[in-house]
Amino acid sequence: MDGVTTAGVRATARIEARDDGRGGTSLPVLDGEGPLALRRIRSGGSEARVMLVGAMSGPLGGDHLAVEARVGPGARLRVGSAAATIALPGQAKGEARYDVRLNVADGGELCWLPEQLISAGGSDLSVASRIDLEPGARLVFREEQVLGRVGEEPGRLTSRLTVRRDGRALLDQEVACGPGAPGGWDGPAVLAGHRALGQLVVVRPEFERDVPAARPLGEYAALTPLAGPAVLVTALAPDALLLRRVLDEALRELT
């Protein structure tokens, strides 16, 4: 259940997508709480589309928010967000948490394409995204983070992304930026002074036969095959607009 405590807001949004047996996708579970509102939007073909709508500011210090999505066999789900998520300092002390837990069954497909996460000055946010895929699952997962608003130093942001397929790890990585992060996060070996960073994970069964080759995608982006039918695109940019252009171009090439 959602609620507000002296330690902050607790809320979870849940989505379940199933093959409706008529060539489409049903959403038997579409349940938002507190600041996490969910809306089904118009779509064509067999795909169901859901928009995550922020009903309140946040996450703020001390908040613990989570989004869960399950995609069944033969179902197709696309999830976006109506606006950027802004991590802000709050009255409650302590780190805010934002968890994303995604599960895609054999034959299911999930496109997870939210807007950017902005780490505002003074905030402290930990993001953990865990994705579990069965064999035959298809995935597009985009993650974009912007360090600070215009003319503002960023808050502290820690982000971990774990992708598993058939119980085996495809990707498990963590990045920490901002005040209190390990030294060198803004240096030439990590962000090199950039303030927008993003990644794109694409999992396709056909990559078992023909996986795209590793290659640079401009000066500050690269495509890397993973140990499975998957690729990872990582990118840096001076701002969110240029970052999105790089990731959109990569996605068009991969899908």
Side-chain angles (χ1 to χ4, degrees):
M1 294 294 292
D2 62 311
V4 180
T5 70
T6 56
V9 173
R10 302 289 186 271
T12 301
R14 298 177 177 86
I15 309 168
E16 184 175 346
R18 296 180 186 171
D19 184 347
D20 66 6
R22 303 186 302 274
T25 298
S26 64
L27 298 174
V29 177
L30 191 64
D31 182 21
E33 294 180 342
L36 301 173
L38 298 171
R39 301 287 184 268
R40 182 166 188 167
I41 60 176
R42 186 182 300 274
S43 60
S46 61
E47 180 182 75
R49 296 190 178 187
V50 173
M51 191 69 68
L52 181 62
V53 181
M56 298 166 54
S57 296
L60 308 177
D63 290 354
H64 185 184
L65 308 180
V67 182
E68 302 175 354
R70 293 182 176 274
V71 181
R76 299 179 64 211
L77 175 65
R78 178 182 292 260
V79 179
S81 58
T85 298
I86 305 178
L88 297 166
Q91 292 183 347
K93 295 186 181 296
E95 177 186 72
R97 291 178 55 190
Y98 196 111
D99 294 331
V100 176
R101 297 184 286 268
L102 309 176
N103 290 268
V104 187
D106 188 9
E109 180 173 353
L110 173 63
C111 291
W112 188 265
L113 300 168
E115 295 302 308
Q116 299 89 357
L117 168 65
I118 301 173
S119 174
S123 64
D124 186 357
L125 176 65
S126 176
V127 180
S129 301
R130 180 183 174 109
I131 306 169
D132 288 290
L133 308 172
E134 294 183 4
R138 302 169 71 87
L139 173 74
V140 172
F141 178 89
R142 183 181 70 204
E143 184 176 61
E144 299 171 310
Q145 295 156 349
V146 180
L147 305 181
R149 293 168 291 192
V150 176
E152 177 185 64
E153 288 300 310
R156 177 179 169 86
L157 175 64
T158 302
S159 178
R160 182 172 182 178
L161 172 60
T162 305
V163 184
R164 299 178 65 84
R165 179 177 181 267
D166 197 21
R168 301 180 64 179
L170 290 179
L171 178 68
D172 191 349
Q173 66 179 25
E174 182 175 283
V175 62
C177 307
W185 68 269
D186 202 22
V190 187
L191 297 189
H194 290 83
R195 285 295 178 264
L197 60 153
Q199 50 196 353
L200 181 70
V201 180
V202 180
V203 181
R204 291 282 185 268
E206 55 265 32
F207 288 169
E208 293 271 20
R209 302 183 302 273
D210 186 19
V211 64
R215 64 183 186 274
L217 302 173
E219 188 175 2
Y220 294 105
L223 183 151
T224 305
L226 300 177
V231 297
L232 170 68
V233 174
T234 53
L236 300 175
D239 58 49
L241 180 61
L242 292 175
L243 176 67
R244 178 65 60 84
R245 288 177 181 172
V246 172
L247 295 180
D248 280 352
E249 183 175 347
L251 184 57
R252 285 192 293 270
E253 291 182 11
L254 290 168
T255 56

